[in-house]
Amino acid sequence: MRGAKSAKWVVGAIVVALAATACGGGGDDNGNGEAASKEKGKPAGYVSIDVGEPQKPLIPADTNESLGSYVIQSVFTQLLDFDAQGKIVYTNAESVNSTDSKTWTVKLKQGWKFHDGTPVTAESYVKAWNWYANIKNNQQNAFWFQDIAGYDDVHPEKGDPKSEEMKGLKVVDETTFTIELSAPVPYFEYKLGYATFAPLPEVFYKDTKAFGQAPVGNGPYIFEKWDHKKLIQVKANPDYQGPNKAKNKGVLFKNYATVEAAYQDLLSGNLDMIRQVGPKDLPKYKQDLGDRAIDQPYAAIQSLVPTFYSKTFKDIDPKVIQGLSMAVDRDTITKTVLNGTRKPATSFTPPGVAGNQDLGTDVFSFDAAKAKALVTEGGGVPGNKIWIQYNADGGHKEWVTAVCESIRNSTGVDCVPDAKPDFQTDLEARDNDEVKSMYRGGWVADYPLNVNFMRELYGTTAEANNGRFSDKEVDAAFKKGDNAATLEESIAAYQEAEKLLLTKMPAIPLWEYKTNGGYSKAVDNVTVDFHGDYNITDVTVAK
Amino acid sequence: MGRYVARRLLQMIPVFLGSTLLVFSMMYALPGDPVRALAGEQTVDPTQIAAMKKNLGLDLPLWHQYWNYLIGLFQGDFGTQIASGRPVADIITEAFPITVRLTLFAFTFTVLVGISMGVFAGLKADQLRDRGLLILTLLLISVPSFVLGFLGQYFFAFQLGWVDPNVSAEANWDELFLPAVVLGSLSLAYVARLTRTSVAENLRADYMRTAVAKGLPRRRIIGVHLMRNSMIPVVTFLGTDLGALLGGAVVTEGIFNVKGVGWNVFDALKHREGATVVGIVTLIVVVYLVASLLVDLLYAVLDPRIRYA
């Protein structure tokens, strides 16, 4: 009896619930599956974007992934930033000068304040940088400070730091400090735009852990709240004096379980901006969003990196690698397999970085006959077989298979995709020199300069050089660029080095990344910077 | 009865230890170093990685790590996440209530709709409505939940505009309705079929004939005599299903953007956050154990011939 009776009640309840939700959700939709903003819990004037949970606490020098950087960039402002052309724009700095590329003098703008009201001084920078670089504090980006004289004292290879301060940093007065480097670096100023060089207020040192959960910065936005794995909310800083003052009232960084879910919320008006459209929706997103679809390359490059310790590529003639490069049909693969989300590469550096040049070569264009000829000329591939290692969790399988197909068809060299289950395993194999012959590499600009795409990747001692490429001439060419007197000369020297790389082939550049995102009708002025990130402060709420 | 319950509770201890050890060693055996992966393709400083591992106790041998974990657990400490540095207990307290809500919703839906559909069909076995139910449930069983999820989103959110396609951060009851229905529909099919068969069979039983012969009202015959005996297989299924719903909602939670347990386990696995995975799995194991104990105890209520010493 009990069972039957309650069952009736519940069926009734479900009908009522269905009816209730029907009333609640309808009406707003304008018929073609797209609605204006009706986002729940979003204060008026705020904009929202799908930026997932930052991996680590929000400390500038401990964040190197794009999700955390988004938030860091909104809460903190460094000395300088870059415009769409990759040119320097001073934000917190009045000027950054050097006569010898070794000693740099930084003058700060007057009257800047942290969000807790304390002033931003030279001391705020110097003390923060010393803290970041200290090995005891284990900051992910500590190595960014290694150009500064005295870095080894605070960050020794082994053991405890010998000093708490780097001797290269000196406070001159309230708003001036000097940076002395251990060797001249003509492009050091560019590095200062990286999020890691942010200043810290005094409150940080009292409780670093609490600060990481609720940062107090000097940036265009003031931190409001962090609902872990759900959203981070920041509000515009009314007293901000930098050029990138927020044009909206605040931002919600929302975390989505999948890109598909985020895309659906964009369509239904529950989200304003999406950073990347998922593969499922790529074929139709331009149709769905019209001129609100974003399709723009940014300063990042994907390449195949031969491992020069492997049996396949040990003491190889670079001609073979040139041949393999010409065997990849970049145009077709980017158009079909990658749905137009990439743009074929034409050099080792992407456009959008200073010093990017036309190498005037056909090494990056598809030519099956010439590819085969070059491989044969260079003595062929040992074992006539190569492997391309990739991580299966990153959506690389399709294009790696296509690249292999292309190489096999044009040169007759057998090519096998070598999947590692995830990025961790992939990285482990690279670190331990266990890559069979090639891996898929990817590099996003830290600063918009051609140097960043060569020195960090192909220098013999460069730590991100997992292909273990080593060449005396190349090292010398890089050194020439590092020792140049001015930034312009340095860029030019690296342009020469790039031409040299073309004859050495430390990697096969494949394509540049593109931002394939979009925004809703609720916002305007959505633009992309050289990182491929949205310029959040410029976004305005549509009238 | 009391002794039986006590014995069952004691048995939980080795099961608990065994399952945590298993999950723990599986996480340990997986290739890929979570601390190293934090740096991605950027420069790696081996000194720093070593220091971080030392701080987290990840440089110790497996048995030692497990021992530390157990000791921590008894002090109410579920461990710390590697990347975020947050206590795992926080993550669990955030994720569990949402999934519990979703599960309860799905479970209620399964029980009520499933059983009533089963009884409805079982009373008139092999007639049109019975056939209809069999076809419907066959469909539900054979369609994967992600297809059902996307279809539901497409029709109810985009075509009809009744609901929002995703569950927002608050995870309100009305938002959870669609995911709960999708999540519950697979078990719904099983519950309906189990009930239908068992009702159809018991209809021909002797005690049913006796009840009819005694001239009892039809409502009492079906409601008490038939239902009570037909529920035993269904209750068995529901007991284990509760655990499965809690743990196995990964796909559904992904589609509808529910930040619950399933999604968190998936996320933690991706980042090799061992402590998080072990913590959540441990709780799911406990839920399973309690649910199966409840099922066993319910047997005695449903069928007085079953008695526990």
Side-chain angles (χ1 to χ4, degrees):
Chain A
M1 183 67 227
R2 267 162 291 167
K5 198 171 174 188
S6 51
K8 243 184 259 165
W9 271 108
V10 169
V11 173
I14 288 170
V15 171
V16 171
L18 262 176
T21 45
C23 299
D28 296 333
D29 209 300
N30 61 7
N32 54 13
E34 233 204 294
S37 181
K38 51 169 184 174
E39 207 170 325
K40 279 179 208 152
K42 188 172 80 169
Y46 280 50
V47 298
S48 61
I49 180 167
D50 77 310
V51 170
E53 174 88 351
Q55 271 190 353
K56 306 187 98 188
L58 294 169
I59 297 174
D62 214 14
T63 297
N64 70 348
E65 35 86 43
S66 67
L67 303 177
S69 310
Y70 250 109
V71 186
I72 294 278
Q73 291 280 11
S74 68
V75 177
F76 292 92
T77 294
Q78 298 79 37
L79 295 168
L80 47 92
D81 203 354
F82 307 101
D83 64 11
Q85 282 75 44
K87 291 230 173 64
I88 287 177
V89 178
Y90 290 116
T91 43
N92 200 358
E94 178 79 51
S95 66
V96 179
N97 291 315
S98 173
T99 46
D100 56 359
S101 302
K102 196 170 179 211
T103 308
W104 296 76
T105 308
V106 178
K107 277 201 163 59
L108 299 177
K109 284 182 184 156
Q110 300 279 348
W112 275 52
K113 283 191 167 65
F114 285 107
H115 300 151
D116 61 356
T118 53
V120 181
T121 62
E123 179 75 25
S124 321
Y125 277 93
V126 170
K127 200 169 167 186
W129 293 5
N130 278 324
W131 193 90
Y132 293 147
N134 198 314
I135 177 84
K136 272 201 203 147
N137 301 321
N138 261 327
Q139 297 294 292
Q140 197 90 58
N141 299 335
F143 69 92
W144 275 87
F145 299 92
Q146 66 193 4
D147 294 326
I148 300 172
Y151 175 77
D152 292 339
D153 294 337
V154 296
H155 199 115
E157 292 251 341
K158 269 200 189 94
D160 286 334
K162 279 176 242 144
S163 161
E164 293 291 309
E165 287 169 11
M166 291 183 275
K167 63 174 186 280
L169 294 177
K170 285 199 183 72
V171 175
V172 177
D173 60 41
E174 186 84 331
T175 54
T176 317
F177 67 99
T178 57
I179 312 162
E180 197 200 325
L181 307 181
S182 42
V185 180
Y187 46 85
F188 183 71
E189 193 181 357
Y190 265 79
K191 292 193 174 188
L192 292 175
Y194 197 62
T196 299
F197 288 92
L200 291 173
E202 275 304 312
V203 59
F204 171 82
Y205 306 98
K206 289 196 189 98
D207 187 349
T208 53
K209 226 174 169 177
F211 188 93
Q213 298 301 316
V216 178
N218 60 335
Y221 291 98
I222 299 172
F223 176 87
E224 282 188 305
K225 66 167 176 180
W226 184 356
D227 280 350
H228 281 280
K229 305 212 170 164
K230 288 171 193 156
L231 68 86
I232 293 178
Q233 189 176 323
V234 297
K235 65 171 181 208
N237 177 3
D239 302 323
Y240 187 70
Q241 299 168 32
N244 53 335
K245 193 175 165 78
K247 297 192 175 97
N248 45 58
K249 288 192 177 143
V251 186
L252 302 180
F253 298 100
K254 294 168 84 173
N255 185 7
Y256 282 89
T258 61
V259 277
E260 285 79 18
Y263 186 71
Q264 283 178 331
D265 259 12
L266 182 77
L267 289 188
S268 66
N270 283 318
L271 179 70
D272 292 333
M273 286 170 271
I274 177 169
R275 293 179 308 131
Q276 188 65 42
V277 176
K280 173 173 148 297
D281 300 306
L282 267 178
K284 65 179 182 71
Y285 88 105
K286 283 189 182 158
Q287 204 180 328
D288 283 347
L289 298 173
D291 55 2
R292 286 173 289 110
I294 284 182
D295 179 20
Q296 202 177 313
Y298 62 94
I301 211 157
Q302 186 140 74
S303 45
L304 295 180
V305 186
T307 49
F308 293 93
Y309 53 81
S310 64
K311 273 184 200 150
T312 322
F313 289 111
K314 203 170 191 177
D315 305 318
I316 194 97
D317 187 328
K319 273 187 188 151
V320 175
I321 305 176
Q322 284 180 336
L324 292 175
S325 171
M326 294 185 76
V328 181
D329 188 353
R330 294 174 177 77
D331 283 325
T332 311
I333 296 173
T334 49
K335 260 186 216 123
T336 56
V337 182
L338 290 163
N339 262 316
T341 57
R342 306 276 197 277
K343 188 172 164 286
T346 52
S347 68
F348 289 92
T349 59
V353 299
N356 171 252
Q357 59 181 341
D358 180 8
L359 286 171
T361 171
D362 59 354
V363 172
F364 305 114
S365 29
F366 178 60
D367 185 339
K370 204 167 169 202
K372 191 164 188 176
L374 274 169
V375 171
T376 324
E377 218 178 299
V381 176
N384 205 34
K385 190 174 185 180
I386 59 170
W387 287 265
I388 299 176
Q389 177 179 307
Y390 67 98
N391 48 319
D393 63 348
H396 302 294
K397 181 173 188 242
E398 289 74 17
W399 70 257
V400 171
T401 313
V403 165
C404 265
E405 192 74 7
S406 190
I407 289 178
R408 207 179 306 131
N409 289 342
S410 30
T411 62
V413 174
D414 194 12
C415 177
V416 185
D418 180 16
K420 298 284 169 197
D422 50 29
F423 197 36
Q424 278 97 322
T425 326
D426 180 42
L427 288 173
E428 202 164 64
R430 294 191 208 173
D431 285 346
N432 299 338
D433 290 359
E434 283 162 359
V435 179
K436 279 188 201 157
S437 52
M438 279 184 161
Y439 66 86
R440 68 121 209 126
W443 191 261
V444 185
D446 297 317
Y447 45 94
L449 213 54
N450 61 352
V451 182
N452 189 232
F453 282 83
M454 287 185 265
R455 188 181 187 272
E456 258 82 33
L457 293 171
Y458 310 125
T460 299
T461 51
E463 284 173 83
N465 175 2
N466 278 324
R468 313 294 173 216
F469 174 79
S470 174
D471 187 279
K472 283 199 186 94
E473 281 176 66
V474 171
D475 284 343
F478 288 173
K479 196 154 190 199
K480 205 172 148 205
D482 290 346
N483 292 343
T486 64
L487 178 64
E488 288 69 33
E489 282 172 40
S490 174
I491 291 174
Y494 267 96
Q495 283 182 322
E496 284 307 309
E498 190 180 2
K499 285 178 192 151
L500 184 64
L501 285 182
L502 192 60
T503 64
K504 306 280 183 181
M505 295 301 283
I508 302 174
L510 291 175
W511 33 70
E512 292 140 20
Y513 285 82
K514 282 208 264 183
T515 297
N516 293 90
Y519 52 99
S520 75
K521 284 178 183 151
V523 292
D524 286 321
N525 296 320
V526 181
T527 53
V528 176
D529 69 4
F530 76 95
H531 277 117
D533 292 343
Y534 289 130
N535 294 308
I536 295 278
T537 50
D538 289 345
V539 178
T540 54
V541 176
K543 293 266 154 49
Chain B
M1 186 75 167
R3 280 186 58 183
Y4 175 76
V5 175
R7 209 168 65 216
R8 284 290 299 262
L9 287 174
L10 278 178
Q11 279 171 6
M12 283 187 188
I13 296 170
V15 176
F16 177 83
L17 289 179
S19 55
T20 45
L21 179 62
L22 253 179
V23 181
F24 208 89
S25 31
M26 279 190 230
M27 287 306 294
Y28 190 84
L30 281 177
D33 180 348
V35 183
R36 158 68 182 89
L38 284 177
E41 280 172 271
Q42 303 281 350
T43 312
V44 190
D45 186 339
T47 340
Q48 239 168 292
I49 288 180
M52 280 177 79
K53 281 192 167 171
K54 194 154 188 280
N55 288 347
L56 291 160
L58 292 174
D59 54 339
L60 301 168
L62 173 65
W63 67 267
H64 201 156
Q65 284 188 40
Y66 181 64
W67 177 251
N68 286 349
Y69 183 77
L70 276 187
I71 296 293
L73 211 54
F74 282 114
Q75 295 161 344
D77 176 13
F78 276 87
T80 311
Q81 278 207 320
I82 296 165
S84 64
R86 298 176 63 220
V88 174
D90 282 8
I91 287 140
I92 292 174
T93 41
E94 270 161 26
F96 247 85
I98 296 178
T99 300
V100 166
R101 228 181 308 169
L102 178 68
T103 307
L104 282 183
F105 214 158
F107 190 71
T108 324
F109 172 76
T110 310
V111 172
L112 298 170
V113 181
I115 293 180
S116 25
M117 274 166 70
V119 172
F120 182 70
L123 285 177
K124 292 275 162 66
D126 292 328
Q127 288 188 6
L128 189 65
R129 67 188 196 193
D130 182 39
R131 300 263 179 245
L133 178 98
L134 287 178
I135 292 171
L136 177 75
T137 51
L138 184 69
L139 262 176
L140 284 182
I141 290 171
S142 49
V143 175
S145 60
F146 68 89
V147 174
L148 214 57
F150 281 127
L151 280 178
Q153 251 176 354
Y154 181 73
F155 283 112
F156 295 109
F158 287 117
Q159 296 302 312
L160 300 169
W162 288 1
V163 290
D164 278 332
N166 288 319
V167 175
S168 71
E170 287 95 48
N172 295 324
W173 285 103
D174 58 326
E175 294 172 327
L176 288 175
F177 187 73
L178 188 59
V181 169
V182 169
L183 182 61
S185 55
L186 182 65
S187 342
L188 173 90
Y190 286 114
V191 169
R193 286 186 155 219
L194 275 172
T195 317
R196 177 225 166 241
T197 312
S198 137
V199 163
E201 240 168 50
N202 285 336
L203 268 180
R204 293 191 288 269
D206 289 345
Y207 63 84
M208 285 298 291
R209 209 170 21 209
T210 313
V212 174
K214 276 200 293 188
L216 288 176
R218 186 174 157 77
R219 288 164 62 189
R220 189 163 170 80
I221 298 173
I222 295 172
V224 177
H225 293 249
L226 178 64
M227 285 299 284
R228 192 162 168 175
N229 285 292
S230 305
M231 279 305 99
I232 291 181
V234 181
V235 165
T236 314
F237 173 77
L238 285 174
T240 49
D241 192 47
L242 191 61
L245 283 178
L246 260 184
V250 181
V251 176
T252 316
E253 291 194 349
I255 293 174
F256 292 99
N257 197 43
V258 183
K259 300 294 164 49
V261 165
W263 181 76
N264 268 289
V265 170
F266 178 68
D267 193 53
L269 258 175
K270 244 183 9 196
H271 294 116
R272 299 279 187 279
E273 293 281 4
T276 318
V277 177
V278 181
I280 295 179
V281 171
T282 307
L283 282 181
I284 294 175
V285 168
V286 172
V287 171
Y288 257 108
L289 290 173
V290 172
S292 66
L293 176 64
L294 282 179
V295 166
D296 286 354
L297 295 178
L298 263 181
Y299 282 164
V301 178
L302 289 170
D303 186 348
R305 284 171 303 176
I306 303 172
R307 281 283 175 253
Y308 303 111

Short mmCIF file of all heavy atoms in Angstrom, two decimals, chain A residues 6-7 9-11 13-14, chain B residues 100-116 173 177 180-181 184 187-188 191 238 241-242 245:
data_model
loop_
_atom_site.label_atom_id
_atom_site.label_comp_id
_atom_site.label_asym_id
_atom_site.label_seq_id
_atom_site.Cartn_x
_atom_site.Cartn_y
_atom_site.Cartn_z
N SER A 6 2.83 6.36 -2.50
CA SER A 6 3.85 7.40 -2.64
C SER A 6 4.30 7.53 -4.09
O SER A 6 4.63 8.61 -4.55
CB SER A 6 5.05 7.11 -1.74
OG SER A 6 5.47 5.79 -1.94
N ALA A 7 4.22 6.43 -4.81
CA ALA A 7 4.62 6.50 -6.22
C ALA A 7 3.76 7.50 -6.97
O ALA A 7 4.25 8.30 -7.75
CB ALA A 7 4.51 5.13 -6.87
N TRP A 9 2.30 10.06 -5.76
CA TRP A 9 2.67 11.41 -5.34
C TRP A 9 3.89 11.91 -6.11
O TRP A 9 3.95 13.04 -6.53
CB TRP A 9 3.01 11.42 -3.83
CG TRP A 9 1.80 11.66 -3.03
CD1 TRP A 9 1.13 10.78 -2.27
CD2 TRP A 9 1.08 12.90 -2.93
NE1 TRP A 9 0.04 11.36 -1.69
CE2 TRP A 9 -0.01 12.67 -2.08
CE3 TRP A 9 1.26 14.16 -3.48
CZ2 TRP A 9 -0.92 13.66 -1.75
CZ3 TRP A 9 0.37 15.16 -3.17
CH2 TRP A 9 -0.72 14.90 -2.31
N VAL A 10 4.82 10.98 -6.26
CA VAL A 10 6.07 11.44 -6.85
C VAL A 10 5.92 11.72 -8.33
O VAL A 10 6.46 12.70 -8.83
CB VAL A 10 7.18 10.41 -6.60
CG1 VAL A 10 8.38 10.75 -7.45
CG2 VAL A 10 7.52 10.43 -5.15
N VAL A 11 5.16 10.88 -9.01
CA VAL A 11 4.93 11.16 -10.42
C VAL A 11 4.32 12.54 -10.54
O VAL A 11 4.71 13.37 -11.35
CB VAL A 11 4.02 10.09 -11.05
CG1 VAL A 11 3.65 10.47 -12.48
CG2 VAL A 11 4.72 8.74 -11.03
N ALA A 13 4.71 14.99 -8.43
CA ALA A 13 5.73 15.99 -8.10
C ALA A 13 6.64 16.26 -9.29
O ALA A 13 7.02 17.39 -9.56
CB ALA A 13 6.56 15.50 -6.92
N ILE A 14 6.98 15.20 -10.01
CA ILE A 14 7.87 15.37 -11.15
C ILE A 14 7.21 16.21 -12.24
O ILE A 14 7.82 17.09 -12.81
CB ILE A 14 8.31 13.99 -11.70
CG1 ILE A 14 9.28 13.36 -10.70
CG2 ILE A 14 8.95 14.11 -13.06
CD1 ILE A 14 9.61 11.94 -10.96
N VAL B 100 26.17 14.21 -3.72
CA VAL B 100 25.14 13.56 -2.90
C VAL B 100 23.76 14.06 -3.32
O VAL B 100 22.82 13.29 -3.51
CB VAL B 100 25.39 13.82 -1.39
CG1 VAL B 100 24.18 13.44 -0.57
CG2 VAL B 100 26.60 13.03 -0.92
N ARG B 101 23.66 15.37 -3.54
CA ARG B 101 22.40 15.94 -3.98
C ARG B 101 21.98 15.34 -5.34
O ARG B 101 20.86 14.90 -5.52
CB ARG B 101 22.54 17.45 -4.11
CG ARG B 101 21.42 18.20 -3.46
CD ARG B 101 21.56 19.69 -3.63
NE ARG B 101 22.88 20.18 -3.22
CZ ARG B 101 23.30 21.43 -3.49
NH1 ARG B 101 22.52 22.25 -4.14
NH2 ARG B 101 24.48 21.83 -3.09
N LEU B 102 22.95 15.33 -6.25
CA LEU B 102 22.67 14.79 -7.58
C LEU B 102 22.28 13.32 -7.49
O LEU B 102 21.31 12.87 -8.10
CB LEU B 102 23.91 14.96 -8.48
CG LEU B 102 23.81 14.43 -9.89
CD1 LEU B 102 22.83 15.26 -10.69
CD2 LEU B 102 25.17 14.46 -10.57
N THR B 103 23.03 12.57 -6.67
CA THR B 103 22.77 11.14 -6.53
C THR B 103 21.40 10.88 -5.92
O THR B 103 20.65 10.04 -6.39
CB THR B 103 23.86 10.49 -5.67
OG1 THR B 103 25.12 10.83 -6.21
CG2 THR B 103 23.71 9.00 -5.64
N LEU B 104 21.10 11.63 -4.86
CA LEU B 104 19.81 11.42 -4.20
C LEU B 104 18.66 11.70 -5.17
O LEU B 104 17.68 10.97 -5.24
CB LEU B 104 19.68 12.33 -2.98
CG LEU B 104 20.43 11.86 -1.75
CD1 LEU B 104 20.17 12.80 -0.58
CD2 LEU B 104 20.01 10.43 -1.37
N PHE B 105 18.83 12.75 -5.92
CA PHE B 105 17.84 13.14 -6.92
C PHE B 105 17.67 12.00 -7.93
O PHE B 105 16.55 11.52 -8.20
CB PHE B 105 18.32 14.41 -7.62
CG PHE B 105 17.22 15.34 -8.02
CD1 PHE B 105 17.49 16.68 -8.23
CD2 PHE B 105 15.92 14.89 -8.18
CE1 PHE B 105 16.49 17.55 -8.61
CE2 PHE B 105 14.92 15.75 -8.55
CZ PHE B 105 15.20 17.09 -8.77
N ALA B 106 18.81 11.55 -8.47
CA ALA B 106 18.78 10.48 -9.47
C ALA B 106 18.22 9.21 -8.86
O ALA B 106 17.44 8.48 -9.48
CB ALA B 106 20.19 10.24 -10.00
N PHE B 107 18.61 8.95 -7.61
CA PHE B 107 18.19 7.72 -6.94
C PHE B 107 16.68 7.73 -6.71
O PHE B 107 15.99 6.75 -6.99
CB PHE B 107 18.95 7.62 -5.60
CG PHE B 107 18.78 6.30 -4.92
CD1 PHE B 107 19.39 5.16 -5.43
CD2 PHE B 107 18.03 6.19 -3.77
CE1 PHE B 107 19.26 3.95 -4.81
CE2 PHE B 107 17.89 4.96 -3.14
CZ PHE B 107 18.50 3.85 -3.66
N THR B 108 16.17 8.83 -6.21
CA THR B 108 14.73 8.94 -5.98
C THR B 108 13.97 8.74 -7.29
O THR B 108 12.98 8.02 -7.37
CB THR B 108 14.37 10.34 -5.43
OG1 THR B 108 15.43 10.75 -4.58
CG2 THR B 108 13.08 10.32 -4.69
N PHE B 109 14.48 9.39 -8.31
CA PHE B 109 13.88 9.26 -9.64
C PHE B 109 13.86 7.80 -10.08
O PHE B 109 12.83 7.26 -10.50
CB PHE B 109 14.68 10.12 -10.63
CG PHE B 109 14.31 9.94 -12.06
CD1 PHE B 109 13.14 10.52 -12.56
CD2 PHE B 109 15.12 9.21 -12.91
CE1 PHE B 109 12.80 10.36 -13.88
CE2 PHE B 109 14.78 9.05 -14.24
CZ PHE B 109 13.61 9.63 -14.73
N THR B 110 15.02 7.13 -9.92
CA THR B 110 15.12 5.73 -10.30
C THR B 110 14.12 4.88 -9.54
O THR B 110 13.39 4.08 -10.12
CB THR B 110 16.53 5.20 -9.98
OG1 THR B 110 17.47 6.10 -10.53
CG2 THR B 110 16.74 3.83 -10.55
N VAL B 111 14.11 5.05 -8.22
CA VAL B 111 13.27 4.20 -7.38
C VAL B 111 11.79 4.41 -7.71
O VAL B 111 11.07 3.46 -8.04
CB VAL B 111 13.51 4.53 -5.88
CG1 VAL B 111 12.50 3.80 -5.01
CG2 VAL B 111 14.92 4.14 -5.50
N LEU B 112 11.37 5.64 -7.68
CA LEU B 112 9.94 5.90 -7.83
C LEU B 112 9.45 5.59 -9.24
O LEU B 112 8.52 4.82 -9.43
CB LEU B 112 9.65 7.35 -7.45
CG LEU B 112 9.99 7.63 -5.99
CD1 LEU B 112 9.92 9.10 -5.69
CD2 LEU B 112 9.04 6.86 -5.08
N VAL B 113 10.11 6.18 -10.22
CA VAL B 113 9.65 5.95 -11.58
C VAL B 113 9.90 4.51 -12.01
O VAL B 113 9.04 3.86 -12.61
CB VAL B 113 10.34 6.94 -12.55
CG1 VAL B 113 9.86 6.73 -13.97
CG2 VAL B 113 10.09 8.37 -12.11
N GLY B 114 11.08 4.00 -11.67
CA GLY B 114 11.43 2.63 -12.08
C GLY B 114 10.47 1.60 -11.51
O GLY B 114 9.95 0.75 -12.24
N ILE B 115 10.24 1.68 -10.19
CA ILE B 115 9.37 0.67 -9.57
C ILE B 115 7.94 0.81 -10.08
O ILE B 115 7.28 -0.19 -10.41
CB ILE B 115 9.43 0.76 -8.04
CG1 ILE B 115 10.83 0.35 -7.58
CG2 ILE B 115 8.38 -0.14 -7.39
CD1 ILE B 115 11.04 0.38 -6.10
N SER B 116 7.45 2.05 -10.19
CA SER B 116 6.05 2.16 -10.66
C SER B 116 5.92 1.67 -12.10
O SER B 116 4.94 1.02 -12.45
CB SER B 116 5.50 3.58 -10.49
OG SER B 116 6.51 4.52 -10.49
N TRP B 173 18.74 22.93 -7.07
CA TRP B 173 17.92 21.74 -7.31
C TRP B 173 17.36 21.71 -8.73
O TRP B 173 17.40 20.70 -9.41
CB TRP B 173 16.77 21.69 -6.32
CG TRP B 173 17.18 21.28 -4.94
CD1 TRP B 173 17.34 22.11 -3.87
CD2 TRP B 173 17.52 19.98 -4.49
NE1 TRP B 173 17.75 21.39 -2.78
CE2 TRP B 173 17.86 20.08 -3.13
CE3 TRP B 173 17.56 18.71 -5.11
CZ2 TRP B 173 18.25 18.99 -2.36
CZ3 TRP B 173 17.93 17.63 -4.36
CH2 TRP B 173 18.28 17.76 -2.99
N PHE B 177 18.04 18.82 -12.11
CA PHE B 177 16.98 17.92 -12.54
C PHE B 177 17.35 17.12 -13.79
O PHE B 177 17.32 15.89 -13.78
CB PHE B 177 15.70 18.72 -12.79
CG PHE B 177 14.52 17.85 -13.07
CD1 PHE B 177 13.93 17.12 -12.06
CD2 PHE B 177 14.03 17.72 -14.36
CE1 PHE B 177 12.85 16.30 -12.31
CE2 PHE B 177 12.96 16.89 -14.62
CZ PHE B 177 12.36 16.18 -13.60
N ALA B 180 20.25 14.69 -13.29
CA ALA B 180 19.83 13.57 -12.44
C ALA B 180 19.02 12.57 -13.24
O ALA B 180 19.18 11.35 -13.10
CB ALA B 180 19.01 14.10 -11.27
N VAL B 181 18.15 13.06 -14.12
CA VAL B 181 17.34 12.15 -14.94
C VAL B 181 18.24 11.34 -15.87
O VAL B 181 18.10 10.13 -16.01
CB VAL B 181 16.29 12.95 -15.75
CG1 VAL B 181 15.64 12.07 -16.80
CG2 VAL B 181 15.25 13.53 -14.82
N GLY B 184 20.17 8.87 -13.76
CA GLY B 184 19.35 7.81 -13.20
C GLY B 184 18.72 6.91 -14.25
O GLY B 184 18.24 5.82 -13.92
N SER B 187 19.97 3.11 -14.56
CA SER B 187 19.49 2.27 -13.46
C SER B 187 17.99 2.14 -13.50
O SER B 187 17.43 1.10 -13.15
CB SER B 187 19.88 2.83 -12.10
OG SER B 187 20.90 3.75 -12.21
N LEU B 188 17.34 3.20 -13.97
CA LEU B 188 15.88 3.17 -14.09
C LEU B 188 15.44 1.99 -14.93
O LEU B 188 14.53 1.24 -14.57
CB LEU B 188 15.42 4.47 -14.73
CG LEU B 188 13.94 4.54 -15.09
CD1 LEU B 188 13.17 5.11 -13.93
CD2 LEU B 188 13.72 5.37 -16.33
N VAL B 191 15.94 -1.21 -12.93
CA VAL B 191 14.97 -1.33 -11.85
C VAL B 191 13.60 -1.70 -12.42
O VAL B 191 12.92 -2.61 -11.92
CB VAL B 191 14.89 0.00 -11.06
CG1 VAL B 191 13.69 -0.01 -10.12
CG2 VAL B 191 16.16 0.22 -10.28
N LEU B 238 19.49 -1.82 -6.03
CA LEU B 238 19.54 -0.41 -5.64
C LEU B 238 20.69 -0.13 -4.68
O LEU B 238 21.32 0.93 -4.75
CB LEU B 238 18.21 0.02 -5.01
CG LEU B 238 17.07 0.21 -6.00
CD1 LEU B 238 15.78 0.49 -5.25
CD2 LEU B 238 17.38 1.35 -6.95
N ASP B 241 23.76 0.10 -6.55
CA ASP B 241 23.63 1.18 -7.51
C ASP B 241 23.93 2.53 -6.89
O ASP B 241 24.49 3.42 -7.54
CB ASP B 241 22.21 1.16 -8.09
CG ASP B 241 22.09 2.07 -9.28
OD1 ASP B 241 22.97 1.98 -10.15
OD2 ASP B 241 21.14 2.85 -9.34
N LEU B 242 23.58 2.67 -5.62
CA LEU B 242 23.82 3.94 -4.93
C LEU B 242 25.31 4.28 -4.98
O LEU B 242 25.69 5.41 -5.27
CB LEU B 242 23.34 3.83 -3.48
CG LEU B 242 23.27 5.14 -2.71
CD1 LEU B 242 22.30 6.09 -3.36
CD2 LEU B 242 22.86 4.88 -1.27
N LEU B 245 26.35 5.17 -8.54
CA LEU B 245 25.92 6.51 -8.92
C LEU B 245 26.87 7.56 -8.36
O LEU B 245 27.27 8.49 -9.05
CB LEU B 245 24.51 6.79 -8.37
CG LEU B 245 23.33 6.16 -9.12
CD1 LEU B 245 22.04 6.51 -8.40
CD2 LEU B 245 23.28 6.66 -10.54
#
